[in-house]
Amino acid sequence: MTVTAASSVASSRVVVCDYDRLSPELGVAALVEGVQIALFRLWDGSVHAVQNRCPFSGAQVMSRGITGDRGGVPTVASPIYKQVFSLLDGSCLVTMDKEPVAGAAADLVVYPVSIDNGQVIIDLAGGE
Amino acid sequence: MLSGAGREGTRMSNERIVVVGAGMVAHRFVSTLLERDTDGRFEVEVYGEEPYAPYDRVALTSYFQGKSPEDLLLGEPSLWDHDSVTLHRDAPVVAIDREARAVRLADGRDAAYDHLVLATGSYAWAPPVPGVDLPGVFMYRTVDDVARLREWVETRQRFFNRPVRGAVIGGGLLGLEAAGALQSMGATSTVVEFADRLMALQVDDSGGEALKRLIEKLGVTVRTGAATSEVRADRDGNAGTLVFSDGGEQLVDVVVFATGIRPRDDLGRGAGLGIGERGGVLVDDTSLTSDPAISAIGECAAAAADGHLSVGLIAPGNTMADVAVDRLLGGDAHYLGADTATKLKLLGVDVASFGDAFAQTPGALEVVYSDPFSGDYKKLVMTDDASTLLGGMFVGDASAYATLRPMIGAKLPGDPSAWILPEGAVERPELELPDAATVCSCNNVTAGTIRDAVNHEGCHDLGSVKSCTKAGTACGSCLPLVKKVMAGELEKAGLEVSNALCEHFTLSRAQLFSAIHVAELRTFTEVIERFGAGHGCDICKPTVGSILASIHNEHVLGGDRAALQDTNDRVMANMQKDGTYSVVPRIPGGEITPARLKVIAEVAEDFGLYTKITGGQRIDLFGARLEQLPQIWKRLVDAGMESGHAYGKSLRTVKSCVGSTWCRYGVQDSASMAIALELRYRGLRSPHKIKLAASGCARECAEARGKDVGLIATEKGWNVYVGGNGGFTPAHAELLVADVTDEEAFTYIDRYLMLYIRTADRLQRTAPWQAEYEGGLDEIRRVVVEDSLGICAELDAHMAHHLDTYEDEWKAVLSDPERLQQFTSFVNAPDTADPSLAYVEQRGQIRPATAEERASGAVLIAPARLEVHA
Amino acid sequence: MTAVPDTASSTATRVCALGDLTPELGVAALVEGVQVAIFLLADGSLHCVQNLDPFSGASVMSRGITGSRGDVPTIASPIYKQVFSLLDGACLVTMDKEPKEGLAPGLRVHAVAAEGDAVVVTLARD
């Protein structure tokens, strides 16, 4: 599939930034149609997108967490209370014996990411 | 009979225990009973004759190092607030009525008991020589004795305007302690001992000779084989001359008798209880006297297991107390006799002996090492085939004592001389402690108990072993040994010894530190490829980041290191609960000009930041958004300020008082010292945060003893204290070196901090590090002061590198466009602030809105309104 | 007994109104360039001594606590607590300290009197 510009694709797919703007293992936040998203470029060049909101504090900070892996699964740790989440499916792997804030699920929403023509594209509708 | 006076209190349905005496053993009895009597069966009345709650008599000498009686109090003061415990001070008991089961108080009242515990201790005994009651003659037993002695010496010193001449009669443990006390007050001291050697109970002739040489080197005069026949008065009627039975004389201004203690058994005698031939209330191995309603514990008791002799040590007293409690609760504990093993530090000289130290076992062999040059004397006593350890004796270097003492009765592998030759001369074999070996003598915990906790209670780290077994929870000196037993057991069970950092590194932090240092690695990628596996995590990445920063002192955001840092270090600010940050500029020593104060105020006002003074004498500005940090720091850096590293596992602040520049009591310039320290150690990355303080006099307004490193000014320089912590587990700092110059203080602190940085665990603060360091603070002192490991030059060079390469992290970031890119709110909308932030007003400033306030929409302050339009 | 210092070379200076003084609370005054401490005691008597504290070198005596030792009215230095007689300035309690170099341990006493509603000080000179 070839995507040339955000306007030419289904409205849920949005160009966020140039791939080169992402530093390895340093997350950034993006604001996509009013939704805050955390983007990570990992050691292997892959890019992952999850919700920026930390379920356990309610703050929009996941982009500032430390990336790593647990048993081969790429992860990000919340910078507030250090819960660890899978970047593959968003599941919370380590809760640190805490509960999410009222009304929040413990897991993160993951958004499909594609890279095309040096641009990072997120599919908002694909979030789960 | 005691029927006349009214009985105190009313009989409750509970059983009432009356404890006579409020010393260390009484304290142990009450705290153990409260802990174990979970059903609340008993209520306890404690009657003590001193005006204080139980205090640490063993530490009396520390009273001369400026401690007050309150500092010596034992345990938690809340013990005495417990509903079922009442402590009566100034309340001597004068008689026991066994028939009526009541004790008579000095004020005429009676107190009824169901069970009576005698813990009256002992009294200082002085030989009946003429002049023993002259002014200027003292005993050495209670806080009041010591306070009176101190006052006398200080008064006489002022009166004579020269050093006071002191003499101590008695060359045993207490006598040498008293001699040290006299010296610390500036008096000269002579120790007069009747026997042919010092510490006759603990060491043999050669040991006594070695001890005498070491002590004389410290300026104390020793006279052995000397009997005092009189203390003669001077013109004013004060003690003036010591007269010896051989006709010799010595001029004195103060005399301390430390000629032994006698059990206080008069209450038991008066009540017709069985009394030992050499004093002491006779007890069986359950701590019961000849009356089953009365127990006796500690120095007032003469236990069958000790040959019906009173023992003047604290550990056996504690054991008797534990046995008495166990029996009251229906248990079957036995007192098996005193372990007379002792390790003491007298005037800075280590003296230790254990087991059959005098080789009285038939056929016993003595293996002796004696070095007249260093003054060390060491001896092991072995069975006739030189295989099994029976006992030992150490004067000077007692480093092997802790390892060997629990090995009594066990086979020593290899050549026993390995243990007494100077450390490092011969490889010492690994020892496997027998199960019965006592590891923690304060709480009587054996190696077997620790192994049980590891194997059957699921205790796999030091913290859980401590809370499960109580080992190492009193004085803490056995913690390295506890750790070793635990680790050995985990290894045997095939369990991974839990010093692995995380799933990516099997090394501990200390091992990783030296590995990275030796291999000269500079990036995380290199480190994990070489020593780890996988891609790292939020545990190992910041640890490696901190180690790299400690070793190389390069910018925390340089190379691939930005991704290693926790969010605080990554953006060099402290993340708050709503994802915004607080900003803390460095204010060295808490000293700041009004002009800089004004800049901080303007920044806070312009960016709408909540402003609060911190406990570290600086100013915290809250509510700064990620993208505002560079703008805020530009203003601060332009005004000459720099990062305060409030976000780092690094030096935070050096708190100070104004010291001699302004204060009428200050004896040194503590503010200048604090500033010098803060500028010296700023930016130094470490396993955990480090806080320092400097006080200008002994009033200690900077609270230096609550800090990792604290300096307290003396007339001669500085006393340097180390290992103090606030936080979860507060600890008072302990004295590392006394009366040092500014330069010496820097040198020792440099080395102490570097040793900590190199060898501590991840997130381990100085207090637990110091407690768990093999050999404790004494060993650390040997390393950093005496250079016993030969690493001081390296530690010094490491700190010099830190000083040479320090740069302000924030200033460096402001001039680097690439790093500034990290400070954007949204990669695709850099001009938009986080729309989820919301604040309400409180006392004229902002604070984050609660969930309810957000829901109600009440008085919200949107971040857009806080935007700065410069 | 009232000490009357030699006033030959000094002039009487009106310092303040009597009503300005609170009993037992000292005030400092500057008389011909000299700092003095003035005390109105509970018995209505007026006393004036040098404001300079000989043991600290600070001009603070007016801020000390008044009291008595025996029948002698006293003032204690607020710095190191030495006690001085308000009658003749003698130092009664040195707290085992020495005065600052060049300073005598006692306080100089100046003449003070109420003239009508006015408090008038006449400096004692050498």
Side-chain angles (χ1 to χ4, degrees), chain B residues 158 663-665, chain C residues 78-80 96:
Chain B
R158 282 198 296 268
C663 177
R664 49 191 150 139
Y665 301 115
Chain C
I79 302 244
Y80 300 119
D96 293 321

Side-chain angles (χ1 to χ4, degrees), chain B residues 8 19-23 27 44-55 69-70 72-74 76-82 85-93 105-107 109 144:
Chain B
E8 197 192 19
V19 180
V20 183
H27 175 265
V44 190
E45 303 279 334
V46 181
Y47 294 91
E49 62 183 2
E50 287 189 67
Y52 312 104
Y55 57 84
E70 289 72 35
L72 298 178
L73 293 183
L74 283 169
E76 290 295 317
S78 60
L79 179 70
W80 308 108
D81 299 334
H82 197 282
V85 179
T86 314
L87 171 65
H88 306 267
R89 303 170 219 217
D90 280 322
V93 168
L105 301 173
D107 63 9
R109 288 177 303 160
D144 288 341

Side-chain angles (χ1 to χ4, degrees), chain B residues 819-832:
Chain B
R819 289 179 196 164
L820 282 173
Q821 262 204 349
Q822 282 300 309
F823 297 87
T824 38
S825 54
F826 298 107
V827 67
N828 60 343
D831 297 327
T832 307

Side-chain angles (χ1 to χ4, degrees), chain B residues 475-745:
Chain B
C475 78
S477 66
C478 62
L479 278 176
L481 193 54
V482 175
K483 202 171 167 181
K484 211 161 147 186
V485 173
M486 178 194 78
E489 213 51 26
L490 285 172
E491 213 164 334
K492 260 189 271 168
L495 289 166
E496 191 155 333
V497 180
S498 61
N499 58 3
L501 207 50
C502 63
E503 69 173 75
H504 305 100
F505 288 94
T506 55
L507 301 177
S508 70
R509 181 193 172 278
Q511 291 167 325
L512 194 55
F513 189 104
S514 58
I516 295 174
H517 196 206
V518 169
E520 294 181 6
L521 305 184
R522 283 178 188 267
T523 66
F524 182 75
T525 319
E526 290 170 343
V527 172
I528 199 156
E529 262 173 24
R530 185 85 178 267
F531 300 114
H535 301 284
C537 64
D538 56 301
I539 292 169
C540 58
K541 279 181 165 178
T543 305
V544 171
S546 161
I547 292 174
L548 290 172
S550 289
I551 294 176
H552 305 299
N553 202 27
E554 292 169 340
H555 200 283
V556 286
L557 304 186
D560 72 347
R561 293 186 296 276
L564 305 183
Q565 313 298 346
D566 221 332
T567 185
N568 284 0
D569 272 306
R570 192 183 286 185
V571 305
M572 301 182 299
N574 290 50
M575 182 179 273
Q576 303 301 320
K577 62 193 287 186
D578 65 350
T580 62
Y581 295 90
S582 81
V583 170
V584 184
R586 184 167 298 291
I587 301 179
E591 180 183 287
I592 187 166
T593 62
R596 285 200 175 161
L597 211 46
K598 215 179 274 176
V599 173
I600 293 177
E602 284 165 5
V603 166
E605 225 163 47
D606 291 350
F607 289 85
L609 304 175
Y610 168 77
T611 307
K612 192 172 188 306
I613 308 285
T614 73
Q617 302 188 329
R618 45 195 194 171
I619 298 169
D620 212 341
L621 308 172
F622 290 77
R625 299 193 306 275
L626 182 63
E627 69 275 16
Q628 291 178 318
L629 292 173
Q631 306 165 36
I632 290 172
W633 273 105
K634 172 113 187 27
R635 300 262 299 264
L636 295 171
V637 167
D638 285 349
M641 281 178 267
E642 62 177 8
S643 167
H645 297 100
Y647 45 82
K649 305 288 183 234
S650 59
L651 175 79
R652 295 287 172 85
T653 68
V654 185
K655 188 174 179 175
S656 72
C657 60
V658 288
S660 57
T661 49
W662 286 94
C663 177
R664 49 191 150 139
Y665 301 115
V667 293
Q668 302 288 347
D669 183 357
S670 50
S672 296
M673 181 44 129
I675 292 166
L677 288 167
E678 189 153 345
L679 297 182
R680 190 173 183 86
Y681 302 121
R682 63 185 166 180
L684 181 65
R685 290 314 208 264
S686 48
H688 210 307
K689 61 187 171 189
I690 308 174
K691 296 180 178 182
L692 275 63
S695 277
C697 77
R699 284 171 184 75
E700 240 284 72
C701 294
E703 298 167 330
R705 291 202 58 202
K707 301 288 186 281
D708 296 283
V709 177
L711 278 69
I712 301 179
T714 69
E715 296 281 351
K716 299 176 198 155
W718 302 96
N719 283 350
V720 179
Y721 293 84
V722 291
N725 281 171
F728 269 121
T729 39
H732 262 140
E734 295 172 71
L735 187 65
L736 177 69
V737 285
D739 293 326
V740 294
T741 63
D742 290 15
E743 285 308 317
E744 288 167 333

Side-chain angles (χ1 to χ4, degrees), chain B residues 75 95 223 232 240 284 290 443 725 846:
Chain B
R223 284 181 89 132
R232 196 186 298 144
D284 61 15
S290 52
N443 289 325
N725 281 171
I846 58 159

